[in-house]
């Protein structure tokens, strides 16, 4: 190897290493900074008390419930439709005009800024369907927002399952649905769950779309038709209005912890239920 | 004269515009091993996939002619394709365990049929694994992932999985292509016992394997049947120059 080539090799290695390290360092810095400011704020009363005096005092319990409720509604609606669409696209049709339209629609939806979903949700669910600012309106809006992500990640996961496994299943006397449900979906499960996790993260973190559709009340929601404030919205309002930076950091730290916990939890569950047979 | 299990009559096969099998006719005799010999891209895999209609899955493919199983056209609307595939089972050229446990792999076809008791399934699975000469390897590992088995074990598992369907015909598409000589020997050995209960059609991965395992050999070149004859005859006295050139290693 000539010295020139060796120098090139070393340079490439160095640049790639720097890129990786700077990304990692930034990420770690952000997370550590927020946790260091936020964790001291988090306490049992912070988690269980309703915010008082606009969030300056008290805890954030109602916003935790708000985040949870809105996210659950969105996931419960978007995941079955999304996975169903993905199965249809990947297994039940050939490439055609219709699949192109579906895929084009999904991709267009993915490119729309969340505030536009918020506006749509506000006009359609809150006003036109008269659902008002409510968990239901917020959840439905988020469902539309994450649908493309669920469809695309699931479709990719399903398409990633080797074709030969389908042939094996058919050769053993399976029909289409047996093949899809017993071989393809279990093999694609990890990819599908990753897409759902990504979607949960986006729901929990979403601010604009939720504020326009679920409202920003601090009261504890008592039904799907009640308005609610999510943690992300709470954090935004606390910081934006300068109400309590301290509590804002506490909320942000909890947001990070929740997303982290969901990821770890889902992976543990996957490992427990999916290791058998792979 | 042996009973004709499968009869292929004037079969033509097209992928789009490209014809890969040309006016092929031949018979497969019951309780014999027929080897389909020929170089790569001769249409042998396609021919095998025609016999259990796996080629139906390919969108642009078109099959002309007749394939008869026990005298009945397998493309007749009354023949259920899943039923056919249980009667004519397939083992692929690479080990293809499903991402399930060893037991569930073998039980897969049985569970699909439904209506079988747990004990029945258990019994059939064990019998199938024994017939594939795999029982001693996996009897303590039935609950482990099939992917944890070695390549040779995986391929015998695939054979056991096909046997569990209780088929009449077993199609083997270069079953030893990715295996070491010891695993290959084990599989060839089990073939000799299998033909007592089943009809076997194998695409061997070498001329030598065809010579070792088969009762009859069909030599196929570019989608055409050049000749078909009993093992001893074709190797001792091939009728066609191309057959002779191929089995003596002059091409292919």
């Amino acid at each position: 190897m000539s010295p020139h080539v060796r120098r090139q090799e070393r340079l490439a290695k160095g640049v790639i290493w720097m890129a990786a390290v700077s990304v990692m360092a930034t990420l770690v810095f952000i997370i550590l900074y927020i946790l260091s400011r936020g964790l001291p704020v988090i306490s049992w009363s912070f988690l269980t008390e309703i915010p008082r005096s606009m969030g300056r005092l008290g805890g954030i319990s109602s916003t935790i419930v708000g985040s949870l409720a809105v996210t659950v509604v969105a996931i419960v609606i978007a995941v079955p439709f999304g996975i169903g669409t993905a199965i249809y696209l990947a297994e039940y049709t050939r490439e055609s005009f219709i699949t192109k339209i579906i895929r084009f629609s999904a991709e267009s939806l993915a490119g729309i800024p969340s505030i536009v979903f918020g506006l749509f949700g506000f006009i359609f669910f809150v006003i036109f369907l008269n659902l008002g600012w409510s968990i239901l309106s917020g959840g439905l809006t988020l469902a539309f927002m994450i649908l493309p992500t669920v469809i695309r990640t699931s479709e990719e996961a399903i398409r990633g399952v080797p074709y030969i496994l389908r042939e094996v299943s058919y050769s053993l006397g399976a029909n289409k649905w047996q093949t899809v449900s017993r071989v393809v979906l279990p093999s694609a499960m990890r990819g599908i769950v990753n897409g759902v996790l990504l979607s949960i993260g986006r729901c929990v973190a979403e601010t604009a779309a939720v504020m326009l559709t679920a409202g920003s009340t601090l009261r504890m929601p008592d039904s799907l038709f009640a308005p609610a404030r999510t943690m992300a919205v709470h954090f935004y309002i606390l910081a934006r209005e300068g109400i309590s930076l301290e509590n804002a950091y506490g909320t942000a730290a909890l947001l990070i912890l929740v997303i982290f916990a969901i990821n770890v939890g889902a992976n543990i569950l996957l490992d427990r239920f999916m290791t058998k047979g792979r | 004269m042996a009973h004709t299990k499968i009869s292929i009559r004037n079969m033509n096969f097209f992928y789009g515009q490209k014809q890969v099998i040309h006016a092929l006719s031949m018979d497969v005799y019951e309780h014999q091993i027929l080897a389909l010999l020929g170089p790569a891209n001769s249409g042998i895999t396609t021919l095998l996939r025609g016999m259990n209609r796996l080629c139906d899955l390919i969108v642009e493919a078109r099959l002309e002619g007749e394939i008869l199983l026990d005298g009945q056209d397998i493309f007749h609307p009354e023949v259920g394709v899943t039923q056919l595939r249980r009667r004519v089972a397939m083992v692929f050229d690479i080990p293809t365990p499903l991402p399930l446990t060893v037991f569930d792999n073998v039980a897969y076809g049985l569970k699909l049929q439904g209506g079988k008791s747990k004990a029945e399934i258990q019994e059939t699975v064990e019998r199938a694994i024994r017939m594939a000469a795999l029982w001693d390897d996996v009897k303590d590992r039935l609950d482990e992932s099939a992917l944890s088995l070695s390549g040779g074990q995986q391929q015998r598992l695939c054979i056991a999985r096909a046997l569990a369907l209780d088929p009449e015909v077993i199609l083997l598409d270069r079953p030893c292509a990715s295996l070491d000589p010891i695993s290959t020997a084990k599989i060839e050995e089990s073939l000799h016992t299998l033909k007592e209960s089943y009809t076997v059609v194998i695409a061997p991965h070498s001329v030598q394997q065809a010579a070792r395992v088969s009762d009859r050999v069909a030599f196929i070149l570019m989608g055409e049947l050049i000749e078909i004859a009993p093992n001893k005859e074709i190797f001792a006295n091939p009728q066609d120059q191309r057959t002779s050139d191929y089995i003596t290693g002059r091409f292919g």
Side-chain angles (χ1 to χ4, degrees):
Chain A
M1 228 195 304
S2 75
H4 173 68
V5 172
R6 220 174 305 152
R7 214 177 315 127
Q8 214 176 30
E9 172 71 26
R10 234 178 308 163
L11 189 71
K13 226 185 213 170
V15 169
I16 292 165
W17 185 82
M18 284 236 308
V21 166
S22 45
V23 167
M24 286 270 289
T26 315
L27 198 68
V28 169
F29 174 74
I30 292 174
I31 291 176
L32 285 185
Y33 181 75
I34 291 174
L35 287 183
S36 71
R37 299 276 308 256
L39 279 182
V41 182
I42 298 178
S43 64
W44 183 245
S45 62
F46 185 74
L47 296 178
T48 53
E49 278 173 28
I50 288 180
R52 278 177 289 129
S53 127
M54 298 178 70
R56 206 170 282 117
L57 302 167
I60 58 165
S61 65
S62 61
T63 69
I64 298 175
V65 173
S67 277
L68 215 76
V70 169
T71 305
V72 167
V73 170
I75 294 296
V76 163
I77 293 166
V79 166
F81 280 100
I83 295 181
T85 308
I87 295 174
Y88 175 76
L89 286 175
E91 297 288 329
Y92 277 84
T93 55
R94 272 188 273 157
E95 279 309 296
S96 70
F97 189 62
I98 295 173
T99 60
K100 277 194 189 121
I101 287 183
I102 295 175
R103 211 167 280 124
F104 179 75
S105 316
E107 252 148 55
S108 306
L109 278 179
I112 295 175
S114 63
I115 184 98
V116 177
F117 279 102
L119 200 60
F120 163 76
F122 178 68
I123 293 166
F124 188 69
F125 297 123
V126 177
I127 308 230
F128 181 72
L129 293 184
N130 205 17
L131 294 171
W133 279 320
S134 64
I135 288 172
L136 198 58
S137 299
L140 285 167
T141 307
L142 287 181
F144 274 90
M145 193 183 80
I146 61 172
L147 201 52
T149 312
V150 177
I151 294 174
R152 191 189 308 190
T153 50
S154 305
E155 192 189 347
E156 262 166 39
I158 291 170
R159 282 189 193 279
V161 177
Y163 184 72
I164 186 82
L165 293 184
R166 296 176 176 82
E167 278 190 316
V168 167
S169 176
Y170 286 120
S171 79
L172 293 167
N175 58 32
K176 184 145 221 160
W177 174 242
Q178 287 170 328
T179 301
V180 169
S181 62
R182 289 169 191 241
V183 173
V184 177
L185 286 184
S187 302
M189 195 45 77
R190 190 165 281 274
I192 293 174
V193 169
N194 274 334
V196 173
L197 285 179
L198 205 67
S199 309
I200 292 178
R202 285 189 62 195
C203 287
V204 174
E206 182 51 42
T207 315
V210 185
M211 203 152 63
L212 282 170
T213 50
S216 59
T217 179
L218 283 172
R219 250 170 299 153
M220 181 64 86
D222 53 6
S223 87
L224 283 182
F225 299 97
R229 184 189 286 199
T230 64
M231 283 192 277
V233 172
H234 189 51
F235 169 78
Y236 170 75
I237 292 175
L238 288 183
R240 176 79 177 72
E241 320 260 313
I243 295 168
S244 164
L245 263 186
E246 196 192 3
N247 282 354
Y249 274 116
T251 312
L254 190 64
L255 262 177
I256 289 179
L257 289 180
V258 165
I259 290 174
F260 184 71
I262 291 172
N263 272 298
V264 171
N267 272 312
I268 290 173
L269 281 181
L270 265 182
D271 281 338
R272 174 159 315 161
F273 290 111
M274 303 297 293
T275 41
K276 215 182 151 196
R278 73 197 41 240
Chain B
M1 190 70 185
H3 172 68
T4 300
K5 189 69 190 172
I6 297 179
S7 181
I8 297 168
R9 301 218 185 127
N10 200 19
M11 172 176 168
N12 287 295
F13 197 92
F14 305 84
Y15 288 113
Q17 292 300 308
K18 193 172 165 242
Q19 185 166 6
V20 294
I21 291 181
H22 302 266
L24 190 144
S25 297
M26 69 179 189
D27 289 338
V28 180
Y29 296 148
E30 196 167 34
H31 299 313
Q32 286 200 356
I33 299 179
L34 171 66
L36 304 178
L37 194 60
N41 293 321
S42 290
I44 291 172
T45 296
T46 304
L47 182 56
L48 284 171
R49 281 166 190 233
M51 292 188 216
N52 72 348
R53 288 182 56 183
L54 263 189
C55 57
D56 286 16
L57 301 178
I58 305 160
V59 176
E60 318 83 46
R62 187 160 53 89
L63 189 147
E64 288 172 4
E66 277 185 324
I67 299 178
L68 308 176
L69 176 64
D70 284 335
Q72 195 188 18
D73 186 354
I74 64 169
F75 292 97
H76 193 278
E78 268 178 28
V79 178
V81 67
T82 56
Q83 194 56 39
L84 170 75
R85 287 178 187 150
R86 275 174 213 147
R87 292 174 67 191
V88 183
M90 179 108 183
V91 175
F92 295 86
D93 55 348
I94 46 168
T96 49
L98 296 169
L100 304 166
T101 64
V102 171
F103 183 89
D104 286 340
N105 257 280
V106 183
Y108 185 81
L110 294 169
K111 287 186 177 170
L112 293 178
Q113 295 172 31
K116 291 234 164 39
S117 75
K118 246 190 170 152
E120 266 179 289
I121 291 179
Q122 210 128 27
E123 193 195 308
T124 313
V125 167
E126 182 176 334
R127 185 156 31 94
I129 297 178
R130 279 186 194 281
M131 282 182 89
L134 187 64
W135 183 251
D136 291 334
D137 298 42
V138 300
K139 63 177 181 239
D140 302 321
R141 304 170 63 183
L142 295 176
D143 283 333
E144 280 177 39
S145 165
L147 300 176
S148 69
L149 301 179
S150 75
Q153 290 170 335
Q154 288 185 2
Q155 192 62 312
R156 277 180 281 149
L157 181 74
C158 294
I159 294 176
R161 188 171 60 188
L163 295 178
L165 297 173
D166 196 20
E168 296 158 35
V169 182
I170 301 171
L171 310 173
L172 301 127
D173 187 4
R174 296 177 202 265
C176 308
S178 58
L179 301 186
D180 60 278
I182 294 169
S183 305
T184 302
K186 278 188 182 162
I187 286 180
E188 289 180 7
E189 211 174 294
S190 54
L191 287 181
H192 284 289
T193 29
L194 290 181
K195 76 171 180 186
E196 288 162 18
S197 325
Y198 309 97
T199 304
V200 179
V201 183
I202 181 173
H205 71 277
S206 67
V207 176
Q208 290 85 343
Q209 188 176 45
R212 283 193 301 265
V213 302
S214 67
D215 298 300
R216 290 165 81 231
V217 177
F219 179 59
I220 294 167
L221 188 62
M222 312 289 279
E224 275 180 74
L225 178 67
I226 306 300
E227 67 177 292
I228 180 165
N231 182 317
K232 289 204 178 65
E233 277 175 36
I234 207 163
F235 287 106
N237 188 19
Q239 297 299 306
D240 194 287
Q241 187 59 39
R242 289 167 292 183
T243 315
S244 162
D245 287 349
Y246 186 75
I247 59 182
T248 52
R250 232 164 271 167
F251 80 102

